Each structure stands twice: as structure tokens, then as C-alpha cells.
Amino acid sequence: MQMKVREATSNDPGGPSGALMNEIAQATYNQADFLDVMSMLDKRLNDKGKNWRHVFKALTVLDYCLHVGSINVVNYSVDNIYVVKTLQEFQHIDDSGRDQGAN
């Protein structure tokens, strides 16, 4: 399941597909897969700088899982809200001077 989360949160310009996000969300109903999904999302949410797409896409997948996935996603997110709160200070200025964290 970690490979699916990596695929959904890759540095590629396009966003994760609905089918892939749904597969990840459904996997959160299995305890072992839930732990894999949340572990990888946590890693992606803690990425910095040039890996800003990892962070953006991890937030997208997390949002989807909060709505469609197991209640465990909600409980985990509440218990670990500091991970998301730290992103208030996220900033990455790309080579053209654009602040990707401000979008």
C-alpha cells in the first residue's frame, strides 16, 4: 500500500487520480494497510522545499481519506494535528521566484 501512496503523492505535475485515492481510502479499513497509508502520508507531509508536490498531494489524499476512509483516519488526524499545523509555515520559492507554499 505504501507504493500506492507514493504514486499518489509523487512529484509529477498531475494530481492523484480519483480511482487511486479511492483505493487508498478503502485500504484504511484494514488495520495493517491503515498503518502503512498513514505512515507514508506522515512522511510526505514532512517533506520540505523542492518536494512541495509531495506535501500538496499528501494533503489532497488525506482530505479524501478523511471523507471516504475509515474513522481511524479521523482519529489519527485529530491525534496528530500538529503535523498539518506545522504546514502553516511551509514555503518553497522555485527557480522562477514563485512561492509554491503560498498557492
Side-chain angles (χ1 to χ4, degrees):
M1 189 48 54
Q2 286 190 358
M3 292 302 294
K4 298 281 185 183
V5 177
R6 284 179 194 261
E7 179 184 346
T9 60
S10 70
N11 260 338
D12 296 337
S17 71
L20 183 56
M21 287 194 297
N22 190 56
E23 185 176 350
I24 293 167
Q26 294 308 309
T28 64
Y29 288 93
N30 173 288
Q31 187 61 26
D33 288 341
F34 164 77
L35 294 172
D36 282 347
V37 167
M38 298 314 294
S39 172
M40 185 53 60
L41 285 177
D42 185 54
K43 286 179 186 176
R44 294 298 207 191
L45 288 169
N46 282 294
D47 273 346
K48 303 284 185 251
K50 67 178 182 170
N51 292 323
W52 65 269
R53 281 191 180 102
H54 289 175
V55 177
F56 179 77
K57 290 180 182 183
L59 285 170
T60 302
V61 173
L62 178 60
D63 179 63
Y64 190 91
C65 288
L66 284 167
H67 288 92
V68 179
S70 162
I71 189 68
N72 291 336
V73 177
V74 174
N75 295 334
Y76 182 92
S77 298
V78 168
D79 291 343
N80 296 282
I81 192 66
Y82 66 90
V83 174
V84 175
K85 284 188 173 186
T86 61
L87 295 174
Q88 291 175 329
E89 304 300 320
F90 185 88
Q91 182 180 39
H92 173 64
I93 311 256
D94 64 17
D95 294 336
S96 65
R98 183 172 178 200
D99 181 358
Q100 297 294 347
N103 294 329

